[in-house]
């Protein structure tokens, strides 16, 4: 208890409250250390687009972050408009797999003793904070408000 710099989660653990929105219509919870994405049906996330490679990309957990890897795809992978071979993701990153849009999201919970209403008050958010603060299963209710169905595990 003498160290103040200990991480909130173990370096090899899955980052909490992470999800991927594919094509603006499908939401996938990211609850594995390795997630394959591509056109072939044996991927964890299947994208039925002829421009997406059969095994296009992979998400891997390292040091408490998700890292996106392009798997030598034909159509390429970009994050925020920059073509990549690998990239550490942060909440709000816009990914393109051969033109198919994906959004990487990560919710945050400031303090479990603080209610969502209190967390969203202007006293607790900076002018540049655009993260919607939700706790646990409340994320599904926010998705349902926008008629987005969470992908079941």
């Amino acid at each position: 208890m003498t160290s103040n710099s200990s991480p909130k989660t173990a370096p090899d653990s899955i980052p909490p409250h992470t999800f991927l929105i594919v094509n603006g219509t499908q939401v996938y919870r990211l609850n594995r250390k390795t997630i394959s994405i591509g056109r072939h049906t044996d991927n964890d996330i299947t994208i039925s687009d002829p421009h997406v490679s059969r095994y296009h990309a992979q998400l891997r957990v390292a040091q408490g972050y998700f890292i996106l890897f392009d798997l030598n795809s034909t159509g390429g992978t970009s994050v925020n408009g920059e073509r990549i071979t690998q990239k550490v993701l942060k909440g709000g990153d816009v990914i393109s797999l051969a033109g198919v849009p994906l959004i990487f999201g990560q919710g945050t919970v400031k303090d479990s003793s603080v209610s969502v209403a209190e967390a969203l008050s202007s006293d607790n958010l900076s002018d540049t904070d655009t993260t919607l603060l939700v706790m646990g299963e409340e994320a599904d209710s926010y998705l349902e408000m926008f008629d987005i169905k969470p992908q079941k595990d």
Side-chain angles (χ1 to χ4, degrees), residues 12-20 27-37 43-45 59-61 65-66 104-106 137 140 150-153:
D12 61 344
S13 67
I14 298 170
H17 312 296
T18 51
F19 59 94
L20 197 63
V27 179
Y28 296 88
R29 285 193 185 126
L30 303 179
N31 55 6
R32 295 186 193 152
K33 291 184 180 181
T34 303
I35 299 167
S36 60
I37 307 168
N43 284 288
D44 298 307
I45 298 175
L59 290 166
R60 298 180 205 153
V61 172
Y65 295 95
F66 271 106
F104 176 79
Q106 183 167 9
E137 298 299 318
D140 288 349
Q151 179 69 27
K152 298 300 176 191
D153 300 337

Side-chain angles (χ1 to χ4, degrees), residues 27-88:
V27 179
Y28 296 88
R29 285 193 185 126
L30 303 179
N31 55 6
R32 295 186 193 152
K33 291 184 180 181
T34 303
I35 299 167
S36 60
I37 307 168
R39 196 177 68 239
H40 199 277
T41 57
D42 66 353
N43 284 288
D44 298 307
I45 298 175
T46 303
I47 300 176
S48 301
D49 184 290
H51 297 101
V52 173
S53 295
R54 289 177 298 186
Y55 301 97
H56 197 105
Q58 192 174 70
L59 290 166
R60 298 180 205 153
V61 172
Q63 301 298 312
Y65 295 95
F66 271 106
I67 302 173
L68 176 66
F69 291 86
D70 180 84
L71 300 178
N72 295 317
S73 65
T74 304
T77 300
S78 65
V79 176
N80 301 325
E82 175 188 341
R83 186 113 179 205
I84 60 103
T85 55
Q86 67 182 42
K87 174 90 172 168
V88 175

